[in-house]
């Protein structure tokens, strides 16, 4: 999976981002950069991805995880660790490529069940919804670990909603997650990911 950045303010209709700071990445040699903050990354969880841009202009780079090193045809890169985003002053265009070496956290349930809860890099803010709070509490009440709680929410979403790229737009006055889970019960990646984040 590749992503550009993270958002932490759910408005009820979509996502915004809190304040964050971009720091210069350390140039290791020409065109090769590393974040100023190093990450302990076991070799078994490191990946390499080369991205070939086919269209458009891109200031933010797609990443497969937390960057350890980036090779790009630019003079400087910036990194915002709070939202795990790498950007360039000079946008990269069609025909250019960059390579990222990154750390991808484990997805092994045996390890995740015993891991302590992760502290968010930015505080997550969502509108208070008693209906969603009650649902999340009911679904997770008897789950022994944070991992099991998240998986209970995932199962609920999978079993009670359908993936549909042709879903009609939700009414403007409705909270998107409530409407997705309780009314439409169908949507695509944005609705699924948003519903899980808000329920968590």
């Amino acid at each position: 999976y590749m992503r550009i950045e993270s958002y932490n303010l759910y408005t009820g209709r979509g996502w915004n981002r809190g304040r964050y700071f971009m720091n210069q990445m350390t140039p290791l040699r020409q065109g090769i950069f590393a974040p100023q903050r190093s990450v302990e990354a076991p070799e078994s969880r490191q990946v390499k991805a080369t991205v070939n841009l086919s269209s458009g202009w891109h200031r933010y780079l797609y990443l497969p995880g937390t960057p350890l090193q980036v090779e790009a045809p630019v003079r400087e890169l910036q990194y915002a660790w709070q939202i795990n985003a790498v950007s360039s002053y000079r946008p990269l265009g069609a025909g250019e490529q960059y390579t990222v070496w990154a750390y991808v956290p484990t997805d092994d349930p045996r390890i995740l069940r015993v891991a302590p809860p992760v502290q968010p890099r930015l505080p997550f803010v969502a509108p208070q919804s008693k209906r969603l709070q009650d649902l999340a509490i009911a679904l997770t009440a008897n789950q022994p670990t944070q991992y099991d709680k998240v998986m209970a929410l995932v199962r609920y979403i999978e079993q009670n909603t359908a993936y549909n790229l042709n879903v009609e737009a939700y009414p403007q006055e409705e909270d998107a997650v409530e409407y997705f889970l309780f009314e439409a019960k169908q949507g695509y990646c944005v609705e699924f990911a948003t519903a899980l984040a808000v329920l968590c």
Side-chain angles (χ1 to χ4, degrees):
Y1 295 99
M2 305 279 273
R3 67 186 176 95
I4 297 177
E5 55 189 319
S6 299
Y7 296 84
N8 68 315
L9 303 173
Y10 174 64
T11 65
R13 292 296 314 151
W15 291 92
N16 289 327
R17 183 176 43 233
R19 297 182 79 188
Y20 67 94
F21 300 97
M22 300 296 285
N23 294 313
Q24 288 293 126
M25 293 183 79
T26 304
L28 303 176
R29 53 191 180 279
Q30 185 173 351
I32 299 180
F33 308 88
Q36 290 179 8
R37 293 172 173 236
S38 61
V39 174
E40 298 255 345
E43 198 169 310
S44 64
R45 299 304 307 171
Q46 293 182 31
V47 298
K48 175 184 174 185
T50 298
V51 176
N52 295 296
L53 299 169
S54 60
S55 63
W57 293 97
H58 304 268
R59 284 197 63 221
Y60 284 89
L61 307 185
Y62 291 95
L63 305 173
T66 301
L68 302 171
Q69 189 171 300
V70 178
E71 182 176 358
V74 295
R75 289 189 195 176
E76 53 188 58
L77 290 175
Q78 299 78 42
Y79 178 56
W81 69 272
Q82 303 95 331
I83 60 170
N84 207 32
V86 172
S87 72
S88 171
Y89 284 125
R90 180 185 72 78
L92 298 174
E96 292 188 285
Q97 74 174 28
Y98 60 91
T99 300
V100 179
W101 290 263
Y103 163 64
V104 178
T106 186
D107 56 359
D108 184 337
R110 294 169 300 168
I111 295 171
L112 294 174
R113 279 194 173 94
V114 297
V118 174
Q119 294 301 312
R121 295 176 179 189
L122 288 174
F124 176 76
V125 180
Q128 297 301 308
S129 163
K130 179 151 177 34
R131 195 174 183 192
L132 292 174
Q133 286 177 353
D134 290 346
L135 177 63
I137 289 168
L139 293 172
T140 61
N142 297 318
Q143 301 300 324
T145 69
Q146 293 292 324
Y147 175 81
D148 293 306
K149 290 176 189 294
V150 172
M151 294 312 296
L153 299 173
V154 168
R155 279 190 302 279
Y156 175 84
I157 294 168
E158 288 176 342
Q159 294 168 0
N160 292 280
T161 61
Y163 190 83
N164 181 356
L165 286 173
N166 298 315
V167 68
E168 292 184 24
Y170 296 168
Q172 286 290 336
E173 67 278 2
E174 296 285 344
D175 177 277
V177 171
E178 285 194 34
Y179 195 81
F180 170 62
L181 292 175
F182 302 120
E183 305 298 330
K185 298 187 180 185
Q186 57 182 330
Y188 46 96
C189 56
V190 172
E191 287 80 22
F192 280 80
T194 298
L196 181 60
V198 171
L199 287 173
C200 284

